[in-house]
Amino acid sequence: MSRIRQHVRGTRRTATAGAAVATAALLAVSLSPAAHADGRPTRAAAIEHAASALLAHAASLDLTAPQATDVRDVIVDRDGAQHVRYDRTYRGLPVLGGDFVVHLARGGAYRGADRATRQHISVPTVTPAVSGPEAAGRAVSALRAAHPGTRLKQAKAKPELVVDALHGSPKLAWRTNAVGLDSLGNPVARTVLSDARTGARIDAWDSIETAAGDGSSLYSGTVALETTQSGSSYQLKDPTRGNTYTGDAENKTDLCIFGICFSRAPATLFTDADNHWGTGTTADRASTAVDAQYGTDETWDYYKNIHGRNGIAGDGKGSYNRVHYGSNYNNAFWDDSCFCMTYGDGDGTTFGPLVALDVAGHEMSHGVTSKTAALTYSGESGGLNEATSDILGTMVEWYADNSSDTGDYLIGEEIVKPGFGKAALRFMDKPSKDGSSADYWSSSVGNLDVHYSSGVANHFAYLLAEGSGAKTINGVGYDSPTSNGATVTGIGRDKVGKIWYRALTVYMTSSTNYKGARTATLSAARDLYGAGSAEYNAVAAAWSAVNVA
């Protein structure tokens, strides 16, 4: 399971030294209220404070005249501290690894910043020697090579010029998103990053990975649903959660990824006459929709009630779901371009319908990551991206407290069928039980598929929550070892979720690796519980236990 990456842009804020530009930017935000009723700065005030900080600290942030910045996200703490996250462009081109977070005191005083790269961002020219069509052709070839034995249809690619500051010295590059349809009509996608001067491949990664009414769901029993009355019938649309809704893809597929569109499967809104949805079996198409809508509800509530985040993007706007996508499609994915979740029905042998609660929480957490740290989906940062969705998706399952799908540290246990050969997709207590994931960090972890390099962070999160050794929780047996033979004492999953979320939204950047994740989570634990607290020390011990120092 994975999300589909999309570059996120926010309100444009230039960071040049020109006084006129700076004044205009400040005036643009000063018209909004400066503080909430409790005295905390508003989002607009935080952006204004940060704009002043960018001007004052341009040199230390490597902000030069050819650059501009876009606000991606804003966090205002209860004590009024502010954290404003930016994307960066260079001569109008997105800078991969140019993102940074500015940290401010309650009154707006600059406290520091976390940057994805410390490299000086400059390239000799923004004119490529390799043409866009040539980059597109190479990316399509890479897509075909990544899916051997599959006859791809309608393969096409869309190149975008960027400045790559993630892989050593900044260079002009093509970021090319290649998409196609497999033999069943389901989409496959791969992103290829190549040097725009020489054509040499820099990196590549798959962008889609297989892997007040009530409703009778497939996995979670009978659940409460908020719906919308329309005449004499009801719509599966929730007005209390940003008008999130669920529609039927009618077993059709689309190829509309990264702005490349051939067609898009529908999302025909489910309706019902009596506001009692589904039968709990696949014979009724609405049963799958119940699971999807319920997963959206619980994920929304978890982020809002536990972390104060109002919707995936933090803006109160709802996403939507498409179920019954494709033919025997063994996948579910989040797509930023439609701000939606898509679920396949599975092939019935390997997977059933992929609408389980932890799957929903996992995929929508990819949306949260894209709006915050935007962890690059390759190398160690890609493993952390996947682990973030496993960790926070697991927290959604525990938060729901559903007796039909009790909380556990197994990923996707509800959707697997006997043909899969394992009890779950992944195992957080000892990730290597899936046969591929890493229990501990090593210098080669970044070379693994991101679903397997995620094991290090998943293991960390389990140890931090529950501790090491053998135990049974909710009827599931776990036995979590440590790389250094130490005994780790857990601090409870609620604290783990809060620490990880704060690390993701305040301290991590697109290039964060495992060493950086240790620093980010220690900073988060310090903020929440104090330096030298039991929680802070437990974070350090759990990272050491998975060989991250």
Side-chain angles (χ1 to χ4, degrees):
M1 298 176 290
S2 72
R3 70 179 173 88
I4 301 178
R5 299 183 66 250
Q6 178 95 353
H7 183 67
V8 182
R9 291 193 176 273
T11 304
R12 173 60 61 91
R13 295 285 180 266
T14 57
T16 62
V21 175
T23 302
L26 293 174
L27 288 175
V29 297
S30 63
L31 300 178
S32 301
H36 294 287
D38 61 4
R40 290 183 304 116
T42 62
R43 174 187 170 93
I47 293 173
E48 182 175 348
H49 292 158
S52 297
L54 296 195
L55 292 172
H57 299 273
S60 64
L61 294 170
D62 188 44
L63 293 172
T64 58
Q67 298 181 33
T69 58
D70 296 328
V71 174
R72 186 197 303 168
D73 194 37
V74 177
I75 299 290
V76 179
D77 296 339
R78 290 182 180 179
D79 66 359
Q82 303 136 68
H83 313 274
V84 182
R85 185 180 295 273
Y86 289 93
D87 287 312
R88 185 187 322 232
T89 60
Y90 178 85
R91 299 194 186 281
L93 301 181
V95 179
L96 307 187
D99 55 299
F100 60 97
V101 188
V102 171
H103 306 293
L104 307 162
R106 182 186 183 97
Y110 180 75
R111 285 181 170 175
D114 284 290
R115 293 168 55 185
T117 182
R118 310 296 297 188
Q119 299 270 1
H120 172 63
I121 297 173
S122 177
V123 294
T125 178
V126 293
T127 301
V130 175
S131 70
E134 184 177 355
R138 292 180 180 182
V140 168
S141 296
L143 177 67
R144 295 186 187 280
H147 297 274
T150 301
R151 187 179 181 85
L152 298 184
K153 299 176 290 184
Q154 300 188 58
K156 192 173 181 180
K158 181 180 181 181
E160 177 189 22
L161 269 180
V162 300
V163 174
D164 172 38
L166 283 174
H167 302 83
S169 299
K171 60 183 69 68
L172 188 67
W174 286 108
R175 178 174 58 185
T176 307
N177 299 307
V179 297
L181 298 174
D182 66 16
S183 57
L184 294 175
N186 297 314
V188 293
R190 190 163 179 82
T191 298
V192 177
L193 191 65
S194 58
D195 191 313
R197 302 295 298 168
T198 67
R201 184 183 300 187
I202 300 169
D203 199 358
W205 56 88
D206 283 338
S207 307
I208 302 177
E209 299 284 347
T210 57
D214 60 64
S216 297
S217 68
L218 299 180
Y219 303 120
S220 297
T222 299
V223 297
L225 297 171
E226 294 287 343
T227 59
T228 299
Q229 187 167 4
S230 177
S232 60
S233 66
Y234 298 86
Q235 300 173 337
L236 197 51
K237 177 189 290 187
D238 188 342
T240 71
R241 297 179 176 91
N243 283 321
T244 57
Y245 69 91
T246 299
D248 193 337
E250 300 173 0
N251 296 108
K252 298 177 182 178
T253 60
D254 59 35
L255 188 57
C256 192
I257 304 169
F258 305 119
I260 306 171
C261 295
F262 298 108
S263 63
R264 185 177 284 284
T268 305
L269 183 62
F270 278 89
T271 60
D272 189 85
D274 61 6
N275 214 17
H276 300 288
W277 305 77
T279 61
T281 70
T282 55
D284 187 333
R285 293 180 73 85
S287 299
T288 302
V290 170
D291 282 275
Q293 188 71 23
Y294 173 66
T296 300
D297 292 351
E298 292 299 327
T299 303
W300 179 288
D301 290 354
Y302 169 74
Y303 279 107
K304 185 173 184 178
N305 296 335
I306 301 302
H307 303 300
R309 188 177 191 85
N310 191 22
I312 297 302
D315 58 3
K317 297 178 181 178
S319 56
Y320 69 93
N321 305 305
R322 296 183 300 178
V323 296
H324 304 302
Y325 178 87
S327 174
N328 300 325
Y329 187 47
N330 278 332
N331 197 10
F333 58 89
W334 171 268
D335 185 347
D336 276 347
S337 69
C338 64
F339 205 63
C340 70
M341 269 298 306
T342 299
Y343 297 94
D345 288 326
D347 58 11
T349 300
T350 306
F351 298 117
L354 285 90
V355 289
L357 182 57
D358 62 348
V359 175
H362 173 108
E363 298 300 344
M364 283 182 278
S365 292
H366 276 309
V368 174
T369 297
S370 77
K371 300 299 183 186
T372 56
L375 290 155
T376 301
Y377 206 61
S378 66
E380 291 189 20
S381 60
L384 287 165
N385 189 316
E386 273 299 311
T388 293
S389 284
D390 280 351
I391 293 165
L392 295 177
T394 293
M395 297 305 165
V396 169
E397 186 177 76
W398 280 100
Y399 170 84
D401 194 23
N402 186 302
S403 60
S404 295
D405 184 7
T406 54
D408 53 51
Y409 296 94
L410 310 176
I411 308 300
E413 75 284 354
E414 295 286 350
I415 66 172
V416 298
K417 294 290 187 179
F420 185 66
K422 304 182 188 72
L425 296 176
R426 290 183 287 281
F427 306 82
M428 295 180 71
D429 65 318
K430 188 177 181 182
S432 61
K433 286 194 290 188
D434 67 10
S436 301
S437 291
D439 291 332
Y440 313 117
W441 182 87
S442 71
S443 59
S444 63
V445 157
N447 297 325
L448 298 176
D449 180 277
V450 294
H451 296 86
Y452 304 141
S453 59
S454 63
V456 179
N458 282 346
H459 194 189
F460 157 81
Y462 174 86
L463 286 168
L464 186 58
E466 303 293 348
S468 55
K471 54 181 65 68
T472 300
I473 306 169
N474 275 358
V476 179
Y478 303 99
D479 192 359
S480 194
T482 60
S483 66
N484 55 7
T487 298
V488 176
T489 301
I491 61 173
R493 56 188 168 271
D494 291 342
K495 291 180 178 179
V496 173
K498 290 175 181 177
I499 289 170
W500 195 271
Y501 177 80
R502 183 165 180 82
L504 175 76
T505 57
V506 174
Y507 295 109
M508 291 185 185
T509 66
S510 62
S511 68
T512 298
N513 57 15
Y514 272 111
K515 184 177 180 179
R518 178 186 172 109
T519 300
T521 50
L522 283 170
S523 295
R526 177 203 63 208
D527 294 348
L528 295 170
Y529 306 107
S533 63
E535 292 83 359
Y536 182 94
N537 292 336
V539 169
W543 278 123
S544 295
V546 296
N547 199 34
V548 177

